[in-house]
Amino acid sequence: MAAARSRVVDLMQSVGAASCRCPAHSQAFSGPLKLHRGASGMLPNHSPDSKEYAFEMACSNIRYGPGVTSEVGMDMAGLKAKKVGVYTDSTLINLPPMKTVLESLTRYGVNFIVYDKVRVEPTDQSFKDAADFAKRENLDAFLAVGGGSVIDTAKAANLYASDPEAEFLDYVNAPIGKGKPVSCQLKPLVAVPTTSGTGSETTGVAVFDYEPLQAKTGIANRALRPLLGIVDPLHTLHMPERVAAFSGFDVLCHALESYTAINYTERSPRPTSPLLRPAYQGSNPISDIWSRHALGIINKYFTRAVYDAEDLEARSQMHLASTFAGIGFGNAGVHLCHGLSYSIAGNVKSHQPHGYECDHPIIPHGLSVVITAPAVFNFTGAANPERHLSAAEALGRDIRNDRKEDAGPILSDMMKKIMDTMKIENGISALGYTKDDLPALVEGALPQDRVNKLAPRYPLKEDLHDLYTSALTVY
């Protein structure tokens, strides 16, 4: 018996010694699963009008803690990468988060090259430029240090460098692009978010302005997810007030939209293959937990985080809320606030927000999203009043005496009050738009069915026009 046991122990030790201990393969954190590649055929009981019956949960591995960025050199060294591309922007290159990253990479002997030309609010051209850099430098690992623009750009660079023969629109969401599933093997990507907004470190989504149509769209596939998200709350102390406000509203709308989206069983058609199941699936029991919990954090810490840059507790909690909401919407999806936002941001004329160092007009993503939120939730409330009231409760309202028929106006009014507290501009008219611009805004929203169809009340063309009209002013 003792001899047999000894042999088992020796065998276990041999297996352990032989197993790969690098981050890409060890149980410390695992990469995206590639379960469906090479499969053929069609799911059973499939018809053009059949509804979904399943959902998938996907999320990057997350490491959280103040100062945890200093570990990134060990992570990249463990990946055995010959050349790491460090993606950031022209502002962050001179700030402490990048200093910490570069010191860690140097300390652990990682060979790296920096790409600091990421565009804030990226475009199709800036994605192409970032991908060309990755191809030219023959990168075999990616490290993104920044907000959503930086992380999304690194995702796109990784994708197109990994499939150099692909046309740009091959992977872009339909109907603007072909929306092909990702079948190539991507390189490892580690993300270090420096804002509390997009949750991009948790998702397989990369959003950009498609300049030929002056509209935002994106690429969405689980294969784009970072291998690891390093969430270091110390980085949030460097966010200017307006960046904290706009990115915080992105978190809030991620949580609200995913929580109030149609249930995954109402989405149709059912995909013909698991490979074709979209990342944005509709609300589901697991996403609901993350999204509603994020709302509670926002209710408690949002105002403090915006108006006191040294409040580490509040900014840390909003950083966590961003990650939590990212897990929620990364699997459930968003709907009309985002669907309407893409043409608002894409048609920008001359808006230059305070606190953003840009050489081009921009409407920050969180601002373009929240500016229609009061109109959106007033529109969708009647379609799912229970969810809208539950969301209002998570944001601090006593709903015991509220009526279901008032759910939309209640959540809409709450959004207005939060926006007023955060000094958000008074509607899209304050961003440079007039009634004459509404037809172009509507045209830009029409192709966004990937998210619009997740709304509990689907908007017709005239509904989109009415929503933009309502959003001309907020207060």
Side-chain angles (χ1 to χ4, degrees):
M1 177 70 76
R5 180 172 179 173
S6 178
R7 285 195 297 272
V8 171
V9 171
D10 289 343
L11 178 61
M12 293 174 65
Q13 290 175 340
S14 298
V15 170
S19 64
C20 178
R21 299 183 184 275
C22 75
H25 301 101
S26 73
Q27 293 184 11
F29 53 92
S30 57
L33 293 177
K34 308 293 184 185
L35 296 178
H36 313 307
R37 197 166 292 151
S40 61
M42 183 177 292
L43 290 178
N45 303 319
H46 181 275
S47 65
D49 59 350
S50 59
K51 291 186 177 180
E52 183 61 279
Y53 71 106
F55 69 93
E56 293 188 24
M57 286 301 298
C59 176
S60 303
N61 301 279
I62 298 298
R63 184 185 299 151
Y64 174 87
V68 74
T69 304
S70 62
E71 298 180 1
V72 72
M74 286 185 278
D75 294 319
M76 303 312 291
L79 290 171
K80 309 297 183 186
K82 295 182 177 64
K83 194 172 191 179
V84 176
V86 183
Y87 281 68
T88 192
D89 63 39
S90 59
T91 298
L92 274 162
I93 189 66
N94 299 311
L95 293 179
M98 269 298 291
K99 180 182 178 183
T100 302
V101 165
L102 298 184
E103 286 178 349
S104 183
L105 294 176
T106 302
R107 184 183 309 121
Y108 292 99
V110 177
N111 181 36
F112 65 88
I113 185 168
V114 175
Y115 182 84
D116 62 359
K117 296 178 175 59
V118 170
R119 190 182 194 272
V120 178
E121 303 299 333
T123 65
D124 51 314
Q125 187 58 52
S126 72
F127 271 11
K128 292 174 186 176
D129 292 343
D132 288 343
F133 175 83
K135 295 173 188 176
R136 187 167 60 249
E137 296 296 335
N138 196 27
L139 304 178
D140 56 1
F142 292 76
L143 175 57
V145 185
S149 294
V150 172
I151 299 173
D152 287 3
T153 297
K155 292 174 183 176
N158 189 6
L159 173 62
Y160 290 106
S162 299
D163 189 5
E165 301 303 317
E167 297 291 332
F168 182 75
L169 290 178
D170 281 352
Y171 294 117
V172 174
N173 297 324
I176 292 175
K178 298 177 182 178
K180 290 184 177 179
V182 176
S183 57
C184 61
Q185 183 68 46
L186 272 62
K187 306 295 193 300
L189 165 62
V190 174
V192 183
T194 59
T195 62
S196 302
T198 66
S200 186
E201 70 276 7
T202 68
T203 74
V205 178
V207 177
F208 66 96
D209 288 316
Y210 186 61
E211 292 185 308
L213 294 181
Q214 291 187 301
K216 260 189 165 48
T217 185
I219 305 165
N221 191 283
R222 294 177 184 87
L224 270 65
R225 286 185 295 117
L227 181 68
L228 171 66
I230 296 179
V231 182
D232 187 338
L234 295 182
H235 299 331
T236 65
L237 299 178
H238 306 288
M239 284 194 298
E241 178 191 291
R242 288 298 84 192
V243 176
F246 297 151
S247 61
F249 274 115
D250 198 20
V251 180
L252 175 53
C253 289
H254 284 157
L256 284 174
E257 290 172 72
S258 59
Y259 191 65
T260 58
I262 62 168
N263 189 268
Y264 74 96
T265 58
E266 294 300 311
R267 197 188 75 252
S268 62
R270 181 187 304 174
T272 56
S273 163
L275 181 62
L276 300 177
R277 182 164 285 119
Y280 287 179
Q281 304 167 93
S283 63
N284 59 77
I286 301 178
S287 287
D288 289 348
I289 295 171
W290 294 102
S291 298
R292 200 178 191 282
H293 185 56
L295 292 174
I297 295 175
I298 292 165
N299 176 50
K300 186 174 182 180
Y301 292 105
F302 191 12
T303 302
R304 285 171 50 185
V306 168
Y307 291 116
D308 185 355
E310 296 182 357
D311 189 337
L312 180 59
E313 180 189 22
R315 291 211 163 185
S316 297
Q317 288 296 318
M318 285 300 295
H319 214 27
L320 275 177
S322 174
T323 298
F324 294 163
I327 298 170
F329 93 87
N331 293 281
V334 289
H335 56 81
L336 292 181
C337 296
H338 277 75
L340 294 169
S341 78
Y342 298 145
S343 57
I344 294 173
N347 286 279
V348 60
K349 299 176 182 179
S350 59
H351 189 71
Q352 290 279 4
H354 180 70
Y356 285 74
E357 298 180 18
C358 295
D359 59 0
H360 54 275
I362 65 165
I363 298 174
H365 178 61
L367 175 58
S368 70
V369 167
V370 76
I371 206 73
T372 63
V376 164
F377 294 116
N378 190 56
F379 173 78
T380 59
N384 193 343
E386 295 85 1
R387 278 299 173 101
H388 286 67
L389 287 176
S390 178
E393 182 181 40
L395 289 171
R397 182 181 176 88
D398 183 351
I399 63 169
R400 286 176 293 181
N401 297 319
D402 288 334
R403 302 181 306 169
K404 289 183 179 180
E405 52 265 38
D406 296 328
I410 285 171
L411 189 54
S412 174
D413 287 345
M414 291 190 74
M415 290 301 297
K416 290 179 183 179
K417 290 177 182 177
I418 299 171
M419 292 167 70
D420 186 40
T421 298
M422 300 299 174
K423 302 175 184 176
I424 295 299
E425 288 85 338
N426 188 17
I428 60 174
S429 60
L431 306 182
Y433 293 107
T434 69
K435 289 184 178 179
D436 294 337
D437 298 309
L438 298 185
L441 293 176
V442 170
E443 288 302 314
L446 285 172
Q448 309 301 337
D449 258 7
R450 181 180 65 93
V451 293
N452 292 345
K453 281 187 173 181
L454 293 176
R457 178 182 175 187
Y458 181 73
L460 303 175
K461 186 173 183 178
E462 53 267 31
D463 294 322
L464 293 172
H465 188 278
D466 291 345
L467 286 166
Y468 282 120
T469 301
S470 178
L472 282 167
T473 58
V474 173
Y475 312 115

